[in-house]
Amino acid sequence: MTGLTTHVLDTALGKPAAGLTIDLFKIEGEGRKHLKTVVTNSDGRVDGGPILVGDSFVAGTYELLFRAGDYLRATGAKLPDPAFFDLVPIRFGIADTAAHYHVPLLISPYSYSTYRGS
């Protein structure tokens, strides 16, 4: 499998983060170009396969912007105003377009973690 995928888990609730909005950008110089917006399903994944695949899966620098504050407020989490984590940007590079890039996010109101998954 090639392409870009993600999986979001809510570590405070111990379950997938359903309904979390994610914006995908391609970094171009000092700016960024919005490519698409997706929402996680009940398993914390994106329906329809990889977020980037085929001709759109090209080498470069990208950013996934996870709208964590909106998701956490929707779960009933008590957040300060402003929230400690409202937007969680993860910037990463795609060098090998024959590979699978999996960028998971583990989120709670006061912490997050990510890594390159498989």
Side-chain angles (χ1 to χ4, degrees):
M1 169 193 230
T2 64
L4 171 66
T5 59
T6 190
H7 187 200
V8 186
L9 299 173
D10 183 328
T11 56
L13 297 179
K15 63 181 190 177
L20 191 146
T21 301
I22 306 164
D23 296 307
L24 172 65
F25 298 91
K26 184 158 191 325
I27 305 305
E28 299 178 338
E30 295 298 315
R32 59 186 189 168
K33 177 184 175 185
H34 181 261
L35 299 179
K36 66 170 55 174
T37 298
V38 296
V39 178
T40 57
N41 62 22
S42 62
D43 191 37
R45 300 177 190 275
V46 175
D47 288 332
I51 301 169
L52 276 181
V53 68
D55 292 341
S56 63
F57 187 62
V58 298
T61 302
Y62 293 85
E63 183 176 280
L64 287 168
L65 182 65
F66 297 84
R67 298 190 173 276
D70 292 343
Y71 162 78
L72 292 165
R73 281 186 281 280
T75 68
K78 295 182 192 259
L79 302 179
D81 187 19
F84 188 67
F85 291 125
D86 189 32
L87 300 174
V88 176
I90 300 176
R91 193 169 283 194
F92 58 96
I94 292 175
D96 180 1
T97 58
H100 176 211
Y101 285 77
H102 184 64
V103 183
L105 178 68
L106 307 175
I107 187 79
S108 78
Y110 293 98
S111 69
Y112 72 87
S113 178
T114 190
Y115 55 94
R116 180 172 177 191
S118 59

